[in-house]
Amino acid sequence: MSFAKLASALAVLAVYPHDFPSLTSDPCLADNFYGTYGGQSVFVAPHACFTGFATPVSGAFAPAEYPAANGTELVWVEQVALDASLQSQSPSFSPENISGYLSDLFASTSEVSLEGAQQALSLSAPTYAVLHHTATSVLLALPTPHAHRLSLVLPPTWKVYALPDAPLPIVPVEEPAIERVREILAALKFDPLVAKVVANISLAQIRNDIRWLTGEDGKSGIESRHSFSSGALTAADWLKVRFEETGAACELRPFLSGFAPNVICRYPSTVNTTATVLISSHYDSRGSFGSTRAPGGDDDGSGTTGILAIARTIKRLGLTFRSNVEIVAFAGEEQGLYGSRYYAQDLRKEDKNLTLMIQADMTAYHEPGEPPQLGLPDLIGTPEVHQLVANISAIYSPELKVGLTPACCSDHQSFHSQGFPASQVFERAGPIADPMYHNSGDLSSREGYDVEQLKSIAKVQFAVVLHTAGFDLP
Ligand SMILES: *[C@@H]1O[C@H](CO)[C@@H](O)[C@H](O)[C@H]1NC(C)=O
Ligand SMILES: *[C@@H]1O[C@H](CO)[C@@H](O)[C@H](O)[C@H]1NC(C)=O
Ligand SMILES: *[C@@H]1O[C@H](CO)[C@@H](O)[C@H](O)[C@H]1NC(C)=O
Ligand SMILES: *[C@@H]1O[C@H](CO)[C@@H](O)[C@H](O)[C@H]1NC(C)=O
Ligand SMILES: *[C@@H]1O[C@H](CO)[C@@H](O)[C@H](O)[C@H]1NC(C)=O
Ligand SMILES: CC(=O)N[C@H]1CO[C@H](CO)[C@@H](O)[C@@H]1O
Ligand SMILES: [Zn+2]
């Protein structure tokens, strides 16, 4: 690389609070935005961007080759928001701790590998850099193969977000798209047909499907749905066939070598429109360190059986839609939202007319004794979509206590980042309380796992589709 080329590639990494006032009015920063994580926004911008501008709140660094570098990935590691009942059990977070976990990752591939994850880490002199940290987060630069495997060595309550390899729009969702959601909300009123349709979701079927996906019924042979496992491929094939049986056209779409594919299913519109409504979950799972068992009964077998239950109801009642409807089960969520990142990028390139999307991730668990709940993201997502979901919940699943959750972020973040109206439905109006979070004990037969709540939340997700897309019964 020539000196001039190197100098032009020099970039400054800056981390600001997400609501830092003048960022949206600074065109140079706006062109170099890499997303918001844990309430902080990340910029990788030319040095000149910052002259005369506020000093970054913390962490200035020049990963000179990012994003141009081949084989380097920036990842944000965040301690998830935990209920008080879980806080004492979770290892506290510090940069020193992360070094310890990373040395495991760099020292050994076999110990941390699951089946199929043992492709050679062939970088010469692999190394990493801690670019920034707070009390609950660390921003790292890692060789790509190590970045993909990072979640294998971290404690369960630390979640990984891979930064995109190109800048994101700083004002995520355009006004006309938000206006469309406002119109749907303004027109919202109880529809007895919608109530009849969503009530047809079968609880018995959900109980069967979840036990198949976790391997609890002994029929699927699935031990893990980790993105690198053979169980994930078994689940992907099974989901594709189940969705196709309901009249959808499905594809298994790979996104990164070594990862199980996204399962993407579409129902055509009965009228000529580009408008599309999308609901989703992630079918990959994460287990305990050192264990090959990752049943993912709640995370995210719950959201996945919820969208499957919706599909089965579409078939049973012979429903058709007046808008295109997509149902997607993502993989690679646990490694850093990879599956949804690639799919949302594809839809952005196509300039897809996505009216809104709703991700269901962890919908079954609440603390024993608590009422059934529905949590909406407090930070990442489109407020108008959150409001629509809340109002639809009040109408069709009034048993749910609706509130905000700081438990952030699932695949909806990928869509929100690409400028699509997006929200997530979550199991608690509060932080994560599931003691089996990212644990090999995440089964569906256990205290606190509430299949009725899973169904109530699926009803809400379904009713959003019906009110947004429009539908007909035979
Ligand atoms: C990045 O590296 C891979 C594997 O070495 C190679 O196949 C690919 O062409 C490289 N891409 C670029 C943009 O250099
Ligand atoms: C949505 O719900 C809120 C109360 O939570 C209510 O004030 C508002 O009128 C509702 N909007 C619509 C359009 O139903
Ligand atoms: C759903 O509707 C079908 C067809 O009308 C009916 O046979 C079935 O019993 C219903 N199931 C539930 C759970 O309501
Ligand atoms: C659908 O609408 C588009 C745009 O209005 C038009 O170009 C196209 O011919 C229509 N397709 C059909 C099958 O009517
Ligand atoms: C997108 O869909 C909406 C209906 O939701 C429609 O009014 C609009 O014209 C569509 N936009 C494009 C670019 O096709
Ligand atoms: C699990 C672990 O090693 N936790 C340590 C992380 O770092 C903090 C501060 O350095 C320690 O207090 C924890 O014990
Ligand atoms: Zn999840």
Side-chain angles (χ1 to χ4, degrees), residues 79-80 82 85-93 101 155-158:
Q79 175 132 47
V80 297
L82 288 178
S85 59
L86 296 185
Q87 275 165 15
S88 60
Q89 305 160 26
S90 119
S92 60
F93 199 100
Y101 296 113
T157 57
W158 296 8

Side-chain angles (χ1 to χ4, degrees), residues 26-293:
D26 185 286
C28 189
L29 281 184
D31 286 345
N32 294 283
F33 173 58
Y34 280 80
T36 296
Y37 310 91
Q40 301 188 73
S41 291
V42 178
F43 299 83
V44 184
H47 191 267
C49 244
F50 298 94
T51 49
F53 196 75
T55 311
V57 168
S58 49
F61 181 84
E65 296 169 321
Y66 193 81
N70 192 7
T72 302
E73 198 124 354
L74 297 190
V75 297
W76 185 278
V77 180
E78 177 84 15
Q79 175 132 47
V80 297
L82 288 178
D83 192 71
S85 59
L86 296 185
Q87 275 165 15
S88 60
Q89 305 160 26
S90 119
S92 60
F93 199 100
S94 81
E96 295 89 81
N97 298 147
I98 200 96
S99 321
Y101 296 113
L102 288 172
S103 63
D104 286 352
L105 183 64
F106 283 92
S108 149
T109 57
S110 56
E111 264 179 40
V112 300
S113 292
L114 291 170
E115 42 168 328
Q118 300 188 20
Q119 290 96 351
L121 300 176
S122 61
L123 292 186
S124 55
T127 185
Y128 68 91
V130 176
L131 305 180
H132 167 81
H133 66 86
T134 69
T136 56
S137 63
V138 180
L139 177 57
L140 300 167
L142 289 169
T144 300
H146 294 74
H148 291 170
R149 284 159 183 77
L150 183 56
S151 63
L152 289 169
V153 298
L154 294 177
T157 57
W158 296 8
K159 203 161 151 59
V160 181
Y161 297 95
L163 269 68
D165 47 22
L168 298 167
I170 196 165
V171 180
V173 185
E174 301 284 351
E175 186 55 29
I178 293 182
E179 190 50 39
R180 176 82 191 109
V181 178
R182 285 201 198 100
E183 285 166 17
I184 298 162
L185 181 59
L188 180 66
K189 59 179 200 308
F190 174 78
D191 179 339
L193 269 186
V194 171
K196 186 185 142 197
V197 169
V198 300
N200 193 260
I201 290 178
S202 163
L203 195 62
Q205 187 83 68
I206 290 174
R207 288 188 209 278
N208 281 339
D209 288 343
I210 188 65
R211 289 171 55 75
W212 198 93
L213 280 171
T214 58
E216 283 166 283
D217 70 1
K219 291 176 191 159
S220 66
I222 290 177
E223 201 186 337
S224 170
R225 299 192 315 278
H226 190 283
S227 294
F228 307 151
S229 70
S230 62
L233 299 177
T234 304
D237 288 338
W238 185 78
L239 287 167
K240 178 172 182 282
V241 173
R242 296 288 86 77
F243 281 116
E244 282 172 343
E245 284 169 355
T246 72
C250 300
E251 61 173 308
L252 299 181
R253 189 185 290 191
F255 52 89
L256 275 175
S257 160
F259 286 69
N262 291 330
V263 185
I264 299 168
C265 299
R266 300 190 174 89
Y267 300 88
S269 173
T270 52
V271 300
N272 185 11
T273 176
T274 56
T276 303
V277 182
L278 189 155
I279 53 172
S280 56
S281 72
H282 71 89
Y283 74 92
D284 67 309
S285 63
R286 187 173 154 184
S288 307
F289 178 77
S291 168
T292 52
R293 182 84 172 106

Side-chain angles (χ1 to χ4, degrees), residues 367-386:
E367 284 186 352
E370 284 182 342
Q373 295 160 67
L374 168 59
L376 293 162
D378 65 354
L379 181 58
I380 299 291
T382 311
E384 289 77 7
V385 182
H386 304 335

Side-chain angles (χ1 to χ4, degrees), residues 195-454:
K196 186 185 142 197
V197 169
V198 300
N200 193 260
I201 290 178
S202 163
L203 195 62
Q205 187 83 68
I206 290 174
R207 288 188 209 278
N208 281 339
D209 288 343
I210 188 65
R211 289 171 55 75
W212 198 93
L213 280 171
T214 58
E216 283 166 283
D217 70 1
K219 291 176 191 159
S220 66
I222 290 177
E223 201 186 337
S224 170
R225 299 192 315 278
H226 190 283
S227 294
F228 307 151
S229 70
S230 62
L233 299 177
T234 304
D237 288 338
W238 185 78
L239 287 167
K240 178 172 182 282
V241 173
R242 296 288 86 77
F243 281 116
E244 282 172 343
E245 284 169 355
T246 72
C250 300
E251 61 173 308
L252 299 181
R253 189 185 290 191
F255 52 89
L256 275 175
S257 160
F259 286 69
N262 291 330
V263 185
I264 299 168
C265 299
R266 300 190 174 89
Y267 300 88
S269 173
T270 52
V271 300
N272 185 11
T273 176
T274 56
T276 303
V277 182
L278 189 155
I279 53 172
S280 56
S281 72
H282 71 89
Y283 74 92
D284 67 309
S285 63
R286 187 173 154 184
S288 307
F289 178 77
S291 168
T292 52
R293 182 84 172 106
D298 187 29
D299 188 9
D300 183 23
S302 57
T304 303
T305 46
I307 58 171
L308 180 54
I310 291 168
R312 290 184 185 280
T313 307
I314 291 170
K315 168 71 175 177
R316 201 157 47 235
L317 300 182
L319 272 180
T320 54
F321 299 103
R322 297 180 200 174
S323 173
N324 303 285
V325 171
E326 292 199 8
I327 302 189
V328 184
F330 293 110
E333 197 272 353
E334 300 291 5
Q335 287 70 42
L337 312 184
Y338 282 105
S340 59
R341 184 228 273 193
Y342 283 96
Y343 193 53
Q345 278 175 1
D346 288 350
L347 296 192
R348 177 45 65 209
K349 276 184 216 135
E350 291 168 28
D351 203 14
K352 189 83 156 184
N353 193 2
L354 199 58
T355 312
L356 57 82
M357 72 81 68
I358 313 277
Q359 165 84 352
D361 190 359
M362 299 173 68
T363 60
Y365 186 86
H366 57 76
E367 284 186 352
E370 284 182 342
Q373 295 160 67
L374 168 59
L376 293 162
D378 65 354
L379 181 58
I380 299 291
T382 311
E384 289 77 7
V385 182
H386 304 335
Q387 185 67 57
L388 178 65
V389 174
N391 284 44
I392 284 183
S393 180
I395 296 174
Y396 299 104
S397 291
E399 66 279 14
L400 294 172
K401 180 175 156 262
V402 180
L404 294 177
T405 175
C408 194
C409 290
S410 186
D411 291 313
H412 70 289
Q413 175 156 11
S414 301
F415 288 81
H416 179 251
S417 297
Q418 290 294 340
F420 297 117
S423 185
Q424 180 196 347
V425 286
F426 177 70
E427 63 202 9
R428 271 186 102 237
I432 291 173
D434 186 350
M436 293 300 154
Y437 180 61
H438 292 164
N439 189 294
S440 298
D442 182 7
L443 301 169
S444 70
S445 332
R446 60 186 169 99
E447 192 183 33
Y449 194 104
D450 182 353
V451 189
E452 309 251 358
Q453 176 181 287
L454 190 170

